[in-house]
Amino acid sequence: MNALRVALCLAILCLSFPGHAERLPNIVLLIGDDHGYPYFGFMGDQNVVTPSMDALAYGGVTFSVGHTTAPYCRPSLRTLITGLHPIQYQLRLNEHIDALRAQSNWESMSPVEQSMWTTVHKANGMATFDTLPKLLAAKGYVSWQGGKWWENSFANGHFDEGMTEGWDMSTFGTDAFFHELMGSDGNELVRETMQPVYHFIDRHAEQPMFIWFGPMLPHVPLDAPYRYAKFYADMDISESAKLYYSNITWWDEGVGNLMDHIESRGLLEDTLFIYLSDNGYEQDADVEYLTDSETPSPGLAGGGFTGKGGLYDLSVRTPIIFYWKDRLTASFDESSLVSSLDIVPTVLDLAGIEAPEDLKGYSLKSLLEGSRDILTERNELIGYSDNRRSDAPMGSRAEGYYLRTHRWHFLWYADAGEMLLYDVTVDPRGRRDLSASRPDLVDAFRQRIEAWKLDMGMPEAIPIHE
């Protein structure tokens, strides 16, 4: 029976996509780190140099209006590996942690020991979830992790191999531990080496592979070497833009080198590349975040305040690209509202695996095939953040929501009574607040958000930022 199901899945793939599908596709998930949606050549930027990303976009199915599930990395990445919204993930994780704490000697621990216990067990809690590598393994996939990974070890995500093998807990409580939290040795991907992913590909060329390619780029430190910085050295743009754009080109070359290696092994036609960023970012060419003081402005590390950590469209928007050579017909979709919630259902659909019932996203397979599907046609995207951008490096606690339609973007900090409504078609950066002149829309959007909270099982605000 299992052999028959596999044969049927392969037959479906052959009918759905041009060409002869002899094997399930390799899946390469390309995750930009703090890459704002405007800063690609294919999105119209006149300064940034992104030839590899442009090639993916021009040859693939590109959705220009994609959204992540959080304006910062860890909750967003949890969605990409489980398909769950950060709220769903956190509610389940809280139950798991509460059960473990009840069985521990919590009361006898010192505050430092309690903090360490909580940090470790929250990360290890990922192992209790049905992750994408775990689900794909049922169809014979082998999986590899490299880059950003906040969950202690690749094994917690059910990867077979990876670069993040675990944290050095001797650094706990020091500034050095933040490097461990973000992914430890995984952060060396592209910045220091590509060999681990090359070796994985070479050893598993005959099997379907899932690759988590999430280098810490263009994320700070903004320290791209001269071979990338040279493109911007003489441009009439701000110094902070030169630094950020150089990191983008560094990321872009990493993508190109990965594609070249896969092509050199004869696997390009058997590989589906999926790109998106973990959150938005703001660094326009004419804005300067460098200062003459010894302490740089907050924007140098996090970009502008309408980008990462905010609730603007620029805070969560990302292009989402599906590139599969000779199997997908290239198109540029500027109308569909798609979400990072859709990545796991789409991958599982293409692999012939039934998605868990509790996933909030949709398979985009019909859109990839060029047909419209009412189930994947959204009229709105709603998001939540427990964080507000501030002068503090990691922001401050908040209860914030946004609602995005094809025309409108509404953001609402319920804890402070702050709101903003703007028309993204004429004011994409939200510089003109129309909330006072359109109380009808404000009321309607707030009601939709309240209904969404109930659907998510979150009548009250919960922390998802760690």
Side-chain angles (χ1 to χ4, degrees):
M1 183 61 71
N2 289 336
L4 177 60
R5 288 177 178 173
V6 171
L8 287 173
C9 290
L10 291 174
I12 291 171
L13 284 171
C14 289
L15 292 173
S16 301
F17 298 98
H20 178 55
E22 296 181 348
R23 54 177 278 175
L24 290 169
N26 302 316
I27 307 293
V28 178
L29 187 57
L30 305 167
I31 309 168
D33 191 355
D34 287 4
H35 197 152
Y37 85 84
Y39 312 116
F40 300 87
F42 70 86
M43 291 295 287
D45 191 281
Q46 299 299 306
N47 299 303
V48 70
V49 179
T50 54
S52 298
M53 293 303 305
D54 295 347
L56 283 175
Y58 295 142
V61 178
T62 301
F63 300 96
S64 69
V65 188
H67 272 203
T68 66
T69 54
Y72 34 83
C73 56
R74 190 173 189 180
S76 177
L77 296 178
R78 284 171 167 174
T79 291
L80 292 179
I81 200 67
T82 66
L84 297 171
H85 191 279
I87 293 171
Q88 293 176 287
Y89 188 98
Q90 196 66 51
L91 289 173
R92 291 191 198 177
L93 182 62
N94 289 347
E95 291 181 359
H96 172 71
I97 295 299
D98 289 345
L100 288 180
R101 186 176 287 126
Q103 301 169 14
S104 72
N105 58 339
W106 179 261
E107 298 299 331
S108 64
M109 296 182 193
S110 69
V112 172
E113 289 172 333
Q114 289 179 346
S115 179
M116 183 181 294
W117 184 96
T118 300
T119 299
V120 169
H121 283 287
K122 281 187 175 180
N124 292 350
M126 171 69 76
T128 66
F129 288 81
D130 288 332
T131 64
L132 195 48
K134 180 180 179 180
L135 295 168
L136 288 172
K139 283 298 182 70
Y141 276 82
V142 290
S143 55
W144 180 88
Q145 169 273 331
K148 271 285 190 70
W149 184 252
W150 293 78
E151 313 306 333
N152 196 350
S153 167
F154 68 82
N156 285 333
H158 303 285
F159 289 94
D160 296 298
E161 301 178 29
M163 294 178 68
T164 301
E165 297 182 349
W167 296 334
D168 178 3
M169 296 305 296
S170 70
T171 66
F172 187 81
T174 70
D175 290 342
F177 188 65
F178 195 68
H179 177 269
E180 299 296 309
L181 277 173
M182 290 193 296
S184 189
D185 291 345
N187 295 325
E188 297 176 0
L189 182 63
V190 177
R191 285 180 172 270
E192 301 291 337
T193 182
M194 290 284 286
Q195 292 308 310
V197 66
Y198 290 167
H199 291 160
F200 176 80
I201 292 167
D202 293 348
R203 287 184 287 105
H204 298 285
E206 301 303 318
Q207 297 173 262
M209 295 174 276
F210 172 70
I211 294 174
W212 176 279
F213 187 82
M216 193 173 63
L217 285 167
H219 191 284
V220 294
L222 303 179
D223 58 352
Y226 173 74
R227 65 181 182 272
Y228 312 111
K230 66 186 179 185
F231 295 109
Y232 307 99
D234 297 317
M235 283 188 179
D236 184 20
I237 61 177
S238 70
E239 293 302 313
S240 58
K242 291 178 181 179
L243 293 172
Y244 178 63
Y245 296 172
S246 297
N247 266 27
I248 288 177
T249 302
W250 197 357
W251 149 267
D252 188 84
E253 185 179 82
V255 172
N257 289 340
L258 178 62
M259 293 182 68
D260 289 349
H261 187 84
I262 289 173
E263 191 277 335
S264 73
R265 299 305 186 263
L267 297 172
L268 191 62
E269 289 79 7
D270 296 313
T271 302
L272 170 64
F273 296 88
I274 305 173
Y275 167 81
L276 76 169
S277 182
D278 62 347
N279 50 251
Y281 201 87
E282 180 184 17
Q283 173 59 79
D284 291 336
D286 59 348
V287 177
E288 182 62 80
Y289 293 120
L290 289 174
T291 68
D292 294 331
S293 67
E294 294 182 0
T295 302
S297 63
L300 184 61
F305 275 60
T306 63
K308 180 179 181 177
L311 286 174
Y312 292 77
D313 193 47
L314 191 59
S315 304
V316 289
R317 183 172 167 183
T318 175
I320 298 180
I321 304 170
F322 291 81
Y323 176 91
W324 191 359
K325 182 175 172 56
D326 298 332
R327 307 294 174 92
L328 296 177
T329 301
S331 62
F332 197 86
D333 187 329
E334 298 180 274
S335 61
S336 297
L337 299 177
V338 297
S339 169
S340 60
L341 288 167
D342 303 330
I343 299 299
V344 169
T346 302
V347 169
L348 294 178
D349 195 3
L350 293 176
I353 300 172
E354 185 175 354
E357 294 182 356
D358 54 353
L359 300 190
K360 299 293 185 180
Y362 308 107
S363 171
L364 301 176
K365 183 180 176 185
S366 63
L367 292 178
L368 297 180
E369 294 171 348
S371 62
R372 315 307 293 187
D373 185 340
I374 190 170
L375 293 178
T376 59
E377 290 297 318
R378 292 184 177 89
N379 294 316
E380 63 188 22
L381 290 163
I382 300 177
Y384 166 74
S385 175
D386 65 342
N387 195 57
R388 177 190 285 105
R389 277 292 296 270
S390 69
D391 289 339
M394 301 303 293
S396 56
R397 297 284 74 81
E399 180 188 356
Y401 306 90
Y402 78 82
L403 187 148
R404 168 71 145 84
T405 71
H406 291 93
R407 179 181 179 184
W408 300 102
H409 190 95
F410 172 67
L411 66 88
W412 173 35
Y413 284 105
D415 60 315
E418 302 171 14
M419 63 184 68
L420 175 69
L421 174 70
Y422 61 97
D423 185 340
V424 294
T425 63
V426 295
D427 180 22
R429 301 303 178 87
R431 296 190 171 103
R432 184 185 177 196
D433 181 15
L434 302 176
S435 59
S437 61
R438 293 301 306 268
D440 56 325
L441 289 177
V442 169
D443 290 343
F445 291 158
R446 288 178 61 170
Q447 290 178 27
R448 286 292 305 122
I449 289 171
E450 293 292 350
W452 176 84
K453 289 167 58 180
L454 292 176
D455 179 62
M456 296 298 297
M458 188 192 73
E460 297 180 354
I462 63 169
I464 60 172
H465 183 274
E466 299 177 279

